[in-house]
């Protein structure tokens, strides 16, 4: 019976297509409430901070009518209702990148995040200051920058003197604020290997600094 054979072949093909995802789907457990807590854990009870890309089944327990569980990231945006208590199961495919989960009404305090695969590093935040006296500095977490790893950076430039500017030069980089103004600006830069120098142009011999990117 050709018809029967065709059906069997289709069934086998469907099973073969479905099998890899089913075989690798890992269960994760999301819980929000009843208090101001939100968690995503593995079957072993460990908080999720990093996962391999792939298929996951997430069992969500929303135990409060004040909170919800909202998961978002590349290709995923799923949320339970705030006003309802519910248990739902989400089938998701997580790809390389950064994912986060929050309770939407309390997103500043009820939140978590994890990486999948090996996403590129997030930019580090540097603070550049010049003035109000004859001072200039570039800092990372409050410490003066001497060396940096090559990569993406966000530089918040606080130009606090009309007599000065902040002028950064190095391989492929030449950015400056204007003399005569007081302002804060943000630069998004990718710093490659080499020596970088920063000065206040009106007093470039005295108000200056440098660092090395490796
Ligand atoms: Cu909440």
């Amino acid at each position: 019976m050709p018809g029967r054979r065709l059906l069997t072949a289709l069934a086998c093909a469907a099973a073969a297509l479905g099998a890899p995802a089913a075989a690798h789907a890992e269960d994760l457990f999301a819980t929000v409430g009843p208090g101001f807590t939100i968690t995503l854990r593995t079957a072993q009870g460990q908080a999720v901070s990093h996962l391999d890309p792939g298929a996951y089944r997430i069992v969500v327990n929303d135990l409060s009518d004040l909170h919800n569980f909202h998961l978002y990231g590349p290709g995923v945006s799923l949320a339970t209702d705030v006003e309802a208590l519910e248990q739902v199961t989400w089938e998701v495919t997580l790809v390389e990148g950064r994912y986060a989960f929050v309770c939407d009404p309390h997103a500043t305090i009820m939140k978590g995040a994890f990486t999948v695969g090996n996403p590129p590093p997030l930019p580090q935040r540097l603070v550049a200051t010049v003035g109000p006296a004859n001072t200039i500095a570039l800092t990372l977490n409050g410490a003066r920058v001497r060396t940096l790893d090559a990569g993406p950076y966000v530089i918040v430039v606080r130009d606090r003197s009309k007599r000065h500017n902040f002028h950064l030069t190095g391989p492929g980089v030449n950015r400056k604020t204007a003399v005569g103004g007081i302002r804060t600006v943000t630069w998004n830069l990718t710093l490659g290997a080499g020596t970088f120098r920063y000065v206040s142009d009106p007093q470039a011999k005295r108000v200056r600094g440098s660092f090395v990117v490796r």
Side-chain angles (χ1 to χ4, degrees), residues 120-131:
L122 288 174
Q124 283 193 286
R125 186 174 181 275
L126 306 176
V127 176
T129 55
V130 61

Side-chain angles (χ1 to χ4, degrees), residues 32 36 66-68 103-106 110:
V32 63
F36 283 75
L66 294 174
H67 306 302
N68 77 338
C103 163
D104 290 307
H106 310 106
M110 296 175 69

Side-chain angles (χ1 to χ4, degrees), residues 184-197:
T184 298
V185 296
T186 300
W187 297 339
N188 291 286
L189 298 174
T190 298
L191 302 182
T195 299
F196 288 76
R197 300 179 197 287

